[in-house]
Amino acid sequence: TKPLQTGIDKSRPADGTSGFRIYQNPASGQLNLESENTMKSVAVSDMTGQKMLNFNSLNSKSAQLNTGNLKPGVYAVVIELGNNTRASRKIVIR
């Protein structure tokens, strides 16, 4: 597996997820996702691997996630992209 990245850093082009952004990290209420490729699904998990939020059938290049119900801490966001790749990032909820 690849290490998780934080902030709005773009992934390396070789992994198929270039042009992907997560912003307002640390987040407090809303998290914005943008991708050059269509996002199929997004899952937010705590550091034990328990899924806290799950969004299937997005089929969009942008999304806004309500993070207001998440407790403060570090979470992993895994996005399945339309080009059959996955991107993952670490986020912080305040």
Side-chain angles (χ1 to χ4, degrees):
T1 61
K2 295 180 264 183
L4 295 175
Q5 298 176 350
T6 61
I8 61 172
D9 297 329
K10 292 183 180 181
S11 298
R12 305 283 187 268
D15 71 4
T17 61
S18 65
F20 183 81
R21 297 180 357 134
I22 294 179
Y23 54 97
Q24 300 311 352
N25 188 16
S28 60
Q30 183 171 305
L31 188 66
N32 298 293
L33 310 169
E34 292 180 359
S35 176
E36 291 177 1
N37 295 306
T38 301
M39 294 180 284
K40 290 182 178 180
S41 67
V42 176
V44 178
S45 302
D46 65 15
M47 289 293 101
T48 66
Q50 180 179 354
K51 281 190 182 176
M52 307 304 286
L53 300 172
N54 196 25
F55 301 93
N56 293 314
S57 304
L58 282 179
N59 294 320
S60 177
K61 291 186 177 186
S62 66
Q64 294 180 339
L65 306 182
N66 180 354
T67 60
N69 292 331
L70 297 176
K71 293 180 182 178
V74 178
Y75 295 84
V77 178
V78 178
I79 302 96
E80 184 179 353
L81 299 169
N83 61 356
N84 294 320
T85 61
R86 289 188 179 185
S88 60
R89 304 285 189 278
K90 244 186 240 184
I91 62 166
V92 175
I93 302 296
R94 319 183 240 193

